[in-house]
Amino acid sequence: SYTGTGSILSSVLGGVLGNVLFGGSGLTASSLVGDWNYNNASAAFTTQNTLNKAGGEAAVSSLISSLASNYQNIGINKNNTEFDFGANNTFSAKVNGIPFNGTYIYNEATGELTLKSGNQSIKGNVARTQNGIALIFDSKQMVTMLLNCGKVTNKAAIEAVGKLAKTADGARVGFELTK
């Protein structure tokens, strides 16, 4: 785990994320390359202060549990959600079994990741976890991915995912991925 000024601390299957949005992810561009499969829901907070205000690690665990339940309602699982990042800055992915692809830009220093597919541009963050990586987004970006890239039709579940991130100030939501 990584800690430091402005770091994010959150529980992801018992692992600790740090320096996700401020100060880097601890993940090199070459480490990002490869096939990554959905393992679980993931969540983090933008600062230690927002984590503390939300209720600490218990709040993160609750958020992850709620996300996992909503992902299950949407149909997202280990068999239909994956990301493949190429060394040439191209990616292919499936969210809810719906394929999409394009290019990506990864900033090692900040952990920021931008996925570009067609006319869509989705910005998020990547961080190393105990089991692999977390790919996390603010609520608007996550909803955009689910609706436009994953073609998810369960609007109630998507709205719930968006509301979960919005109700927890400073929360980011997404996927924990493993190789």
Side-chain angles (χ1 to χ4, degrees):
S1 70
Y2 302 90
T3 59
T5 304
S7 68
I8 294 175
L9 297 178
S10 68
S11 175
V12 178
L13 297 178
V16 176
L17 290 179
N19 294 333
V20 177
L21 299 177
F22 302 103
S25 69
L27 186 73
T28 64
S30 61
S31 297
L32 181 62
V33 172
D35 297 325
W36 296 92
N37 299 301
Y38 175 80
N39 188 51
N40 196 17
S42 181
F45 285 83
T46 53
T47 67
Q48 181 66 42
N49 191 37
T50 56
L51 174 63
N52 292 341
K53 283 182 183 177
E57 295 298 320
V60 176
S61 294
S62 176
L63 182 56
I64 289 171
S65 178
S66 295
L67 283 170
S69 176
N70 280 291
Y71 289 171
Q72 186 175 12
N73 290 339
I74 289 169
I76 292 172
N77 61 54
K78 293 179 182 188
N79 297 319
N80 69 10
T81 299
E82 61 189 45
F83 290 81
D84 178 18
F85 296 101
N88 60 353
N89 286 53
T90 61
F91 78 92
S92 61
K94 286 184 190 174
V95 173
N96 197 37
I98 305 298
F100 64 103
N101 57 52
T103 60
Y104 71 92
I105 299 168
Y106 176 61
N107 183 327
E108 287 183 19
T110 63
E112 293 176 358
L113 178 75
T114 302
L115 303 175
K116 294 181 181 182
S117 181
N119 62 357
Q120 291 289 321
S121 182
I122 301 170
K123 295 182 180 186
N125 295 84
V126 180
R128 189 177 298 279
T129 68
Q130 184 175 336
N131 298 315
I133 61 172
L135 183 55
I136 57 176
F137 309 89
D138 71 17
S139 62
K140 184 178 178 182
Q141 296 291 303
M142 187 63 181
V143 168
T144 296
M145 179 183 295
L146 294 174
L147 283 174
N148 298 333
C149 299
K151 308 288 188 221
V152 174
T153 57
N154 184 338
K155 303 289 190 230
I158 290 174
E159 287 176 15
V161 168
K163 285 179 185 176
L164 281 169
K166 286 181 183 177
T167 58
D169 183 38
R172 300 293 185 260
V173 297
F175 311 117
E176 181 183 47
L177 306 169
T178 57
K179 280 192 174 183

